[in-house]
């Protein structure tokens, strides 16, 4: 399933339950005595621990410095994250990088910029209004937040051009990206009363960001050290930058050290079990940080050790137990295909050619499909969808059991509690009028209809239906996320709706999913930023401007990078174009074939061999029950650390993720978040995020530098330059004759 887009639940970095949040509080609560008891404060302990109950309204926020840094980081991260999205080894530079790097840069600008005051049309302003303050720091992060994830619509633009051979063009693509991204603002604005203002809507992930901002700007009592965070960041940055030249250019095999393939290179079973591309990645290790801190797993430092164990156990069960059993028992004739792949196949094991079954206008030709043969999936890929259904239902069941009472209580409190101190402090600032959001909705909705109709993405009435989904679900899903920090994904619902309604139309399927699912996901991301701004006392109008400008800049930069790479990289989105193999887009394309071109009735109906996987939702619904019952009887048992939604996290990324990334990420978690955190806790508190940001940033910049520096250089063809040391894994078991 497509990385962070096809997953049925939230990513593991966003999974912080109330109990888990308490663990994180213990790691950060020393900051400046934040947990002191006060008379006028939030009614919720975790908010009191992290968020100050005071404000300084005179602090400037949307300043020249914050504009320059915000736009700069937004453009830079948009470029880097989109550039790596096309690569085999995807990485994502996130908010922690911006928080860390922007602080010394803001401080430097405060030292160097002139303090002269200017008057422009009666408005007085300065390049340097004083020391770089916490509100400027937050607004820079919110600017850049729009660029952390690549726009979902770019998947549609990419597969339409590279697989369906019908490019959308840059202008129409801009309209499509902007409308799908910005429409979420209106839903975010209209839901503020329910999701931002009430004290009971906590948004636990925002508290982590609040804590980190305050560690930069307030007096700290975290254990001292010989080095500052900035020094650690730059040491790690330089080391990571220099090291990547080895696995990235000179010795790529260091990214895939498969013990099984080295031990038995001629054995197909060893190849299938040990390969990372077409196998399950057993005993496949990596010395390339891009496979340890990848776009699929994020940094191993960013997740508590207990949660990492949950994710890895789920990975082992799915990939190392269930997949080999299903494959070697030849379930669904899966031995005709590789063990692990996001590609789609025919009944004889050859790659499915969509152009053999399509009409000239891009629809399914039923007669050609009947003649060509039905679509087939690898066992791992098919199970991904079954586990997707299970994961969605499991998340709802888990939340109902573990957070149901608190959700109901906090919903009641949202209606009955008086304003907390944070809401009262925010009354000082002018609120964003509802008509701003109304105008935003009208413009983007109208342009969405025009874009979809004029450029044949889908009929106008399906735009209306797609818009109703976020209208209905934004508030209830937002309440769940605000309290439990988990977001049930609606992608399965949108795929089913349009898959049955317009079977045989793949582009309409993915377009409907963008407007129906991503609009809501974007709205909730914006609401989360609004809650961060609420906690940090950012003027709402400044926040609105930063979010809107950041989203527009990110859309243009990401789309520009996508078109540039598709125009200039030879054999892009094919194995020959390594490392620009577009594995995320390839998975999205396969999903468009499964749900759109072929349709859910043909793929998962009662006559399909894949029909039984739909019943995995029963497993998802029942799985949390025994753990919940055990915790009720033995609340201090180790079972309390089992979080069943995390067991399904890996399946949301498998495929397209190389199968060894979770193993190497887990090893990193063990060293960083178990050994280091346990035995050098003060040091971990001080340096962990700086180290993570430095390694990620150095890798990202090095990858771009090596691309331009060596794009016209032919490297020596030697053993270490080859990343595929398990070549037999690309074959199906039935179609390969084992040599005697």
């Amino acid at each position: 399933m497509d990385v962070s887009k096809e997953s049925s639940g939230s990513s593991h970095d966003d999974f912080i339950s109330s109990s888990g949040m308490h663990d994180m509080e213990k790691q950060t609560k020393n900051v400046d005595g934040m947990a002191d008891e006060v008379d006028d404060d939030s009614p919720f302990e975790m908010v009191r621990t992290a968020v100050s109950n005071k404000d300084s309204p005179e602090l400037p926020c949307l300043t020249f410095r914050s504009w320059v840094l915000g736009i700069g980081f937004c453009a830079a991260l948009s470029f880097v994250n989109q550039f790596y999205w096309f690569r085999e080894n995807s990485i994502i530079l996130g908010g922690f990088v911006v928080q860390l790097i922007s602080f010394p840069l803001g401080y430097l600008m405060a030292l160097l910029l002139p303090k002269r005051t200017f008057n422009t049309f009666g408005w007085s302003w300065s390049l340097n209004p004083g020391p770089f303050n916490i509100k400027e720091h937050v607004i820079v992060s919110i600017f850049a937040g729009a660029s952390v994830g690549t726009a979902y619509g770019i998947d549609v633009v990419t597969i339409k051009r590279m697989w369906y051979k019908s490019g959308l063009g840059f202008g129409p693509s801009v309209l499509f990206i902007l409308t799908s991204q910005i429409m979420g603002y209106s839903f975010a604005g209209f839901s503020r009363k329910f999701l931002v203002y009430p004290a009971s809507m906590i948004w636990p992930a925002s508290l982590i960001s609040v804590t980190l901002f305050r560690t930069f700007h307030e007096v700290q009592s975290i254990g001292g050290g010989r080095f500052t965070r900035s020094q650690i960041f730059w040491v790690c940055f330089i080391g990571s930058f220099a090291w990547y030249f080895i696995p990235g250019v000179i010795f790529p095999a260091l990214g895939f050290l498969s013990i099984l393939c080295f031990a038995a290179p001629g054995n197909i079973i060893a190849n299938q079990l040990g390969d990372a591309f077409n196998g399950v990645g057993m005993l496949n290790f990596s010395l390339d940080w891009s496979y340890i801190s990848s776009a699929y797993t994020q940094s191993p430092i960013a997740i508590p050790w207990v949660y990492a164990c949950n994710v890895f156990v789920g990975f082992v069960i799915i990939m190392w137990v269930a997949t080999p059993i299903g494959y070697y028992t030849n379930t669904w004739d899966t031995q005709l295909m590789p063990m692990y792949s996001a590609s789609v196949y025919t009944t004889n094991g050859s790659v499915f050619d969509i152009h053999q079954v399509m009409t000239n206008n891009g629809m399914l030709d039923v007669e050609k499909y009947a003649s060509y043969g039905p679509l087939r999936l690898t066992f791992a890929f098919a199970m991904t969808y079954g586990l997707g259904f299970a994961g969605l239902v499991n998340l709802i069941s888990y939340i109902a059991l573990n957070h149901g009472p608190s959700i109901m209580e906090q919903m009641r409190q949202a209606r009955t509690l008086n304003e907390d101190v944070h809401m009262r402090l925010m009354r000082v600032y002018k609120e964003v009028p509802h008509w701003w959001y109304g105008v935003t909705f009208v413009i983007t909705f109208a342009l969405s209809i025009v874009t979809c109709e004029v450029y044949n993405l889908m009929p106008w009435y399906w735009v209306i239906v797609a818009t109703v989904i976020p209208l209905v679900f934004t508030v209830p899903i937002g309440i769940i996320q605000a309290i439990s920090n988990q977001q049930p994904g609606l992608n399965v619902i949108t795929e089913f709706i349009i898959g049955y309604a317009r079977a045989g139309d793949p582009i309409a399927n993915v377009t409907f999913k963008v407007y129906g699912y991503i609009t809501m996901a974007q709205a909730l991301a914006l609401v989360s930023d609004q809650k961060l701004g609420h906690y940090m006392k950012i003027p709402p109008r400044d926040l609105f401007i930063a979010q809107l400008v950041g989203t527009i800049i990110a859309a243009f930069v990401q789309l520009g990078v996508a078109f540039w790479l598709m125009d200039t990289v030879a054999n892009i989105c094919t194995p020959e174009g390594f490392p620009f193999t577009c594995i995320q887009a390839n998975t999205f394309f396969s999903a468009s074939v499964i749900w759109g071109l072929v349709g859910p009735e043909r793929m998962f109906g009662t006559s399909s061999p894949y029909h039984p996987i739909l019943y995995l939702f029963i497993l998802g619904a029942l799985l949390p029950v025994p753990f919940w019952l055990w915790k009720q009887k033995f609340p201090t048992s180790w079972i309390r650390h089992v979080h069943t939604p995390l067991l399904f996290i890996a399946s949301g990324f498998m495929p397209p993720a190389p199968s060894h990334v979770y193993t190497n990420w887990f090893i990193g978690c063990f060293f960083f978040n178990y050994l280091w955190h346990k035995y050098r806790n003060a040091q971990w508190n001080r340096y962990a995020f700086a180290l993570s940001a430095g390694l990620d940033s150095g890798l990202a910049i090095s990858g771009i530098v090596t691309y331009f520096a060596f794009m016209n250089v032919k490297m020596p063809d030697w053993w270490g330059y080859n990343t595929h040391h398990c070549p037999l894994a690309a074959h199906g078991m039935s179609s390969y004759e084992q040599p005697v």
Side-chain angles (χ1 to χ4, degrees):
M1 297 172 79
D2 189 16
V3 55
S4 57
K5 297 174 182 175
E6 293 291 329
S7 178
S8 61
S10 61
S11 73
H12 59 261
D13 283 343
D14 291 335
F15 184 99
I16 304 175
S17 63
S18 296
S19 59
M21 191 64 210
H22 180 66
D23 294 336
M24 293 297 286
E25 287 166 10
K26 289 194 289 187
Q27 296 174 4
T28 54
K29 69 181 181 180
N30 320 4
V31 180
D32 123 356
M34 287 186 292
D36 292 345
E37 290 295 324
V38 292
D39 294 328
D40 187 13
D41 211 332
S42 170
F44 299 98
E45 181 182 4
M46 68 171 65
V47 178
R48 293 196 301 270
T49 300
V51 184
S52 172
N53 64 337
K54 297 178 176 61
D55 182 29
S56 301
E58 73 281 358
L59 287 179
C61 183
L62 205 54
T63 64
F64 173 81
R65 294 182 303 223
S66 60
W67 274 104
V68 171
L69 291 175
I71 291 174
F73 276 108
C74 181
L77 263 66
S78 296
F79 181 93
V80 170
N81 289 336
Q82 188 61 61
F83 180 86
Y84 276 93
W85 180 83
F86 281 92
R87 291 170 62 102
E88 184 95 24
N89 51 338
S90 302
I91 63 170
I92 291 179
L93 291 186
F96 290 132
V97 173
V98 177
Q99 286 177 280
L100 191 69
I101 304 178
S102 62
F103 178 70
L105 291 179
Y107 182 78
L108 188 63
M109 292 179 77
L111 288 178
L112 300 179
L113 287 176
K115 298 182 179 180
R116 177 186 168 188
T117 300
F118 300 87
N119 285 288
T120 306
F121 302 112
W123 178 50
S124 180
W125 61 282
S126 173
L127 296 175
N128 190 351
F132 184 67
N133 67 73
I134 193 169
K135 294 191 179 185
E136 290 178 286
H137 199 179
V138 173
I139 209 76
V140 168
S141 180
I142 288 172
F143 260 116
S147 62
V148 171
T150 57
Y152 202 78
I154 290 180
D155 291 75
V156 180
V157 173
T158 302
I159 68 167
K160 200 171 187 303
R161 174 173 172 176
M162 303 307 299
W163 278 274
Y164 289 99
K165 308 302 180 184
S166 57
L168 190 56
F170 190 83
S173 298
V174 167
L175 286 174
F176 179 54
I177 300 299
L178 287 177
T179 54
S180 60
Q181 292 289 99
I182 295 177
M183 191 184 293
Y185 280 92
S186 54
F187 297 107
F190 294 138
S191 61
R192 289 172 297 171
K193 180 180 178 181
F194 307 100
L195 301 179
V196 177
Y197 299 158
S200 56
M201 298 295 107
I202 293 172
W203 294 89
S206 297
L207 299 180
I208 303 297
S209 295
V210 170
T211 301
L212 188 56
F213 279 120
R214 295 185 69 192
T215 64
F216 282 111
H217 293 272
E218 299 178 8
V219 178
Q220 304 168 26
S221 61
I222 292 177
R226 295 173 55 193
F227 306 102
T228 66
R229 288 188 182 90
S230 294
Q231 289 172 330
I232 291 296
F233 170 84
W234 287 112
V235 168
C236 294
F237 177 94
I238 293 170
S240 180
F241 178 91
W243 169 252
Y244 187 68
F245 277 78
I246 297 176
V249 178
I250 301 170
F251 199 168
L254 290 177
F256 305 91
L257 299 174
S258 176
I259 304 302
L260 293 178
C261 295
F262 294 155
N267 186 289
I268 189 171
I269 295 178
N271 276 235
Q272 289 174 329
L273 295 179
D275 189 38
F277 297 107
N278 295 115
V280 295
M282 291 183 182
L283 298 179
N284 194 319
F285 303 105
S286 180
L287 296 178
D288 183 343
W289 182 253
S290 67
Y291 291 108
I292 300 170
S293 177
S294 69
Y296 315 102
T297 59
Q298 306 296 306
S299 171
I301 298 175
I303 181 172
W305 167 246
V306 169
Y307 297 156
C309 292
N310 279 261
V311 173
F312 188 67
V313 167
F315 166 80
V316 169
I317 294 171
I318 294 165
M319 290 298 295
W320 290 359
V321 178
T323 295
I325 290 174
Y327 187 82
Y328 291 121
T329 55
N330 202 27
T331 305
W332 306 319
D333 292 325
T334 193
Q335 289 189 6
L336 290 167
M337 298 162 272
M339 178 178 284
Y340 178 73
S341 173
S343 297
V344 288
Y345 297 88
T346 64
T347 52
N348 64 8
S350 59
V351 175
F352 193 91
D353 183 358
I354 60 171
H355 301 288
Q356 297 293 326
V357 299
M358 292 177 68
T359 63
N360 292 332
N361 62 351
M363 303 287 286
L364 177 71
D365 187 315
V366 177
E367 292 183 0
K368 288 183 179 179
Y369 180 75
S371 173
Y372 188 67
L375 188 71
R376 291 292 179 260
L377 309 175
T378 63
F379 181 85
F381 198 14
M383 285 298 294
T384 293
Y385 285 108
L387 292 169
F389 304 137
L392 175 59
V393 177
N394 176 267
L395 183 57
I396 296 170
S397 175
Y398 177 88
I399 290 172
L401 290 171
N402 293 274
H403 299 284
S406 62
I407 288 175
M408 297 305 296
E409 174 63 19
Q410 291 183 36
M411 286 177 63
R412 184 191 64 79
Q413 291 177 356
R415 295 192 302 268
T416 59
L417 275 181
N418 295 326
E419 293 181 346
D420 71 343
V421 63
H422 304 295
M423 189 65 223
R424 291 195 295 275
L425 291 172
M426 288 299 290
R427 292 293 185 194
V428 175
Y429 306 102
K430 289 183 178 180
E431 187 54 87
V432 178
H434 276 90
W435 70 264
W436 286 22
Y437 293 107
V439 169
T440 301
F441 174 76
V442 170
I443 293 174
T444 53
F445 180 68
L447 286 176
S448 299
I449 290 178
V450 171
T451 302
C452 290
E453 275 289 340
V454 172
Y455 301 106
N456 300 313
L457 295 176
M458 70 178 176
W460 63 270
Y461 45 86
W462 286 113
V463 178
I464 297 176
V465 176
T467 305
V468 169
I469 294 175
L471 181 65
V472 171
F473 285 101
T474 295
V475 170
I477 297 295
I479 290 172
I480 293 173
Q481 185 175 353
I483 296 169
S484 68
N485 213 40
Q486 301 170 70
Q487 183 189 119
L490 298 182
N491 53 302
V492 174
I493 296 174
T494 58
E495 287 169 330
F496 258 109
I497 291 173
I498 195 66
Y500 276 103
R502 285 189 66 83
D505 190 346
I507 299 303
N509 186 278
V510 292
T511 303
F512 184 89
K513 185 163 58 174
V514 168
Y515 284 113
Y517 166 49
I518 291 305
T519 299
M520 186 206 72
Q522 178 76 348
L524 293 179
L526 297 171
V527 168
S528 178
D529 276 348
Q530 288 178 355
K531 191 66 177 188
L532 173 62
H534 187 83
Y535 284 144
M536 301 303 297
K537 315 304 178 291
I538 305 298
R541 296 188 178 191
D542 291 357
L543 182 66
F544 177 88
I545 293 170
Q547 288 182 315
L548 186 61
V549 172
T551 301
I552 293 172
I553 291 172
F556 276 95
V557 174
Q558 290 175 356
L559 201 58
V561 172
F563 270 76
W564 164 59
L565 290 175
M566 287 189 287
D567 286 339
T568 59
V569 176
N571 300 314
I572 190 171
C573 298
T574 67
E576 291 74 24
F578 183 87
F580 291 94
T581 54
C582 313
I583 59 173
Q584 297 186 48
N586 180 58
T587 307
F588 191 82
F589 159 71
S590 296
S592 75
V593 175
I594 294 166
W595 295 98
L597 184 63
V598 177
E601 176 59 35
R602 294 185 181 90
M603 281 304 303
F604 302 108
T606 54
S607 62
S608 168
Y610 302 112
H611 180 70
I613 68 173
L614 297 181
Y615 295 103
L616 284 175
F617 81 89
I618 299 174
L619 169 66
L622 298 179
L623 185 61
V625 175
F627 296 103
W628 180 79
L629 292 173
W630 188 270
K631 282 188 286 188
Q632 301 308 301
K633 189 172 180 63
F634 304 104
T636 59
S637 166
W638 66 270
I639 293 294
R640 74 186 188 278
H641 296 303
V642 176
H643 303 282
T644 57
L646 288 175
L647 301 176
F648 295 90
I649 286 292
S651 68
F653 305 99
M654 308 295 294
S659 56
H660 73 325
V661 296
Y662 276 96
T663 304
N664 292 281
W665 167 82
F666 183 70
I667 293 171
C669 289
F670 175 73
F671 282 103
F672 291 124
N673 274 6
Y674 179 72
L675 295 179
W676 188 22
H677 179 266
K678 181 176 182 179
Y679 296 106
R680 295 289 187 272
N681 186 258
Q683 193 180 76
W684 186 96
N685 277 312
R686 185 172 180 83
Y687 297 131
F689 289 119
L691 180 141
S692 177
L695 292 175
D696 287 349
S697 301
L699 163 68
I701 302 305
S702 183
I704 294 171
V705 170
T706 55
Y707 170 71
F708 285 108
F710 295 93
M711 62 188 307
N712 295 317
V713 176
K714 184 172 178 58
M715 299 299 293
D717 187 11
W718 68 293
W719 177 88
Y721 193 69
N722 179 20
T723 58
H724 291 267
H725 290 285
C726 306
L728 303 185
H731 299 277
M733 189 82 173
S734 301
S735 60
Y736 178 76
E737 295 184 4
Q738 184 80 29
V740 179

